[in-house]
Every structure is written in C-alpha cells, then in structure tokens.
Amino acid sequence: MTATVTVQDIYRTIRDVPDFPKPGILFKDITPLLLDPRAFRRAVELMSTPFAGAQATRVVSIESRGFLLGAPVALALDAGLVPIRKPGKLPAARGRVEYALEYGTDALEMHRDAVGPGDRVLIVDDVLATGGTAEAAAKLVRSHGADVVGFTFLIELDSLKGRGRLRGERVEALLHYT
Ligand code: AMP
C-alpha cells in the first residue's frame, strides 16, 4: 500500500519565486503540485472535505489558477462549476463587479445564467492574499441572488489578513505562510 500524502508533502510541492510578477512579490507557484497527481488529488480532497455537508450547488472559481483547483473541487462536491473571469473573456450575458486595487480598480465578470436565487456557492482560489479578489467574487455571487456558503483556498498568506474581509462565511485554507 502506498503511504498517504501528508500536508507536509503538499507544502513541499509549492515553489517560491521571488520578485514575480514584480519586484517585492514572493510568488507561490502551484505548478509543481499539478505535476504530482497524488499530492494534487490529496490537496483537492482536503480543500473539499470541509464543505462536504454544505450542500453547495455551485463552485465558483477565480481566473486563472483558481480554475485548476475549482474544477476538481466541483466534481468532488458534485456541484456545477462556474468561472469568474477578467472583463471581456466570457461570451454570454454577464454580471460585473468592480473592486479596488492598490493602484486603481479591476473588475470581474460571471455569466448571468450560471448562478441565481437558491444556489449555494463555494468560492475557490489558489491563494488568499489581501482578500480583495475573493471579497469581490462573493459580492458578484450575492448580486445574482445566491448565497455564499464559504471559501476554500490552497494557500493563505496569513500576515495579509485577507480572511478579515471574508467575515461571516466559513474560510478554509490548506497551507499557511506568514
Ligand atoms: P488578493 O485579492 O490580494 O487576495 O489576491 C488574490 C489573487 O492574487 C489570487 O487570485 C492569487 O492567485 C493572486 N496572488 C496574490 N498573491 C499571490 C502570491 N504571493 N503568489 C501567487 N498568487 C498570488
């Protein structure tokens, strides 16, 4: 029998890339995790299990690395998968939310018919940093009349305190860094 993959094993698959995409950012690269099917499968399991009883009807994932994790989490929870994308990428009728960045604003879009009243939505992304992106995604989901049942991240950068912006819902993260 093969040994179970531990959380420590999953930590070892995350590559730190200094000064990417700009100086001063320590980028958490998840691509080595994707190369390791046992660790990837275990990470998806550990991201999904806390919400096994949440009766999520939709998993909403955030462009673009969020898609890589959101798709298997949606299958694990038997929920529909919904991509949230940067403006101009989704083809059909869209809802939109704008949110503040350090300098300026950005926006996210979601198909209008993807989420609606009665839906219970789990939001998935790779990294929780300042929480601005996840907070905007939740706002977009709620503006479509659906409930947010929680958030699940592979990685949380604890010192940025993004969790504080997601108050009121369950927030899970598998790996923690300062
Ligand atoms: P934030 O809105 O500050 O929570 O940023 C979250 C988004 O930015 C996520 O979609 C992440 O993919 C990305 N992100 C932020 N910081 C990092 C980092 N250090 N390494 C990799 N991705 C990051």
Side-chain angles (χ1 to χ4, degrees):
M1 207 179 92
T2 48
T4 313
V5 175
T6 66
V7 173
Q8 282 312 315
D9 295 329
I10 300 172
Y11 269 103
R12 280 192 280 273
T13 69
I14 305 302
R15 174 164 56 197
D16 281 352
V17 183
D19 299 317
F20 184 87
K22 49 187 182 185
I25 305 282
L26 183 62
F27 189 83
K28 296 292 180 190
D29 178 18
I30 68 165
T31 60
L33 171 68
L34 306 178
L35 282 173
D36 180 338
R38 292 181 64 242
F40 186 20
R41 188 178 299 114
R42 183 77 181 130
V44 166
E45 208 173 86
L46 293 170
M47 289 175 70
S48 309
T49 306
F51 294 96
Q55 293 167 316
T57 59
R58 297 282 187 265
V59 165
V60 161
S61 61
I62 305 172
E63 180 165 0
S64 58
R65 290 178 300 279
F67 298 165
L68 301 168
L69 296 162
V73 167
L75 290 176
L77 294 177
D78 199 25
L81 175 68
V82 179
I84 278 190
R85 301 206 63 180
K86 293 287 169 64
K89 305 275 191 182
L90 287 171
R94 298 163 298 271
R96 179 187 174 97
V97 66
E98 309 226 335
Y99 62 105
L101 296 176
E102 198 177 345
Y103 303 104
T105 61
D106 211 340
L108 293 173
E109 294 183 343
M110 183 173 73
H111 274 154
R112 283 216 173 280
D113 62 0
V115 166
D119 274 319
R120 296 172 56 78
V121 175
L122 175 64
I123 295 176
V124 177
D125 204 358
D126 63 335
V127 175
L128 172 62
T130 66
T133 309
E135 184 186 33
K139 199 170 155 192
L140 184 53
V141 164
R142 291 190 183 109
S143 75
H144 286 230
D147 290 329
V148 175
V149 298
F151 301 83
T152 190
F153 301 93
L154 178 66
I155 293 170
E156 180 173 1
L157 305 180
D158 295 338
S159 55
L160 296 177
K161 299 187 168 38
R163 181 178 285 264
R165 297 172 73 159
L166 309 179
R167 267 192 303 266
E169 308 306 336
R170 183 167 184 183
V171 181
E172 294 287 336
L174 186 55
L175 310 179
H176 294 265
Y177 297 87
T178 50

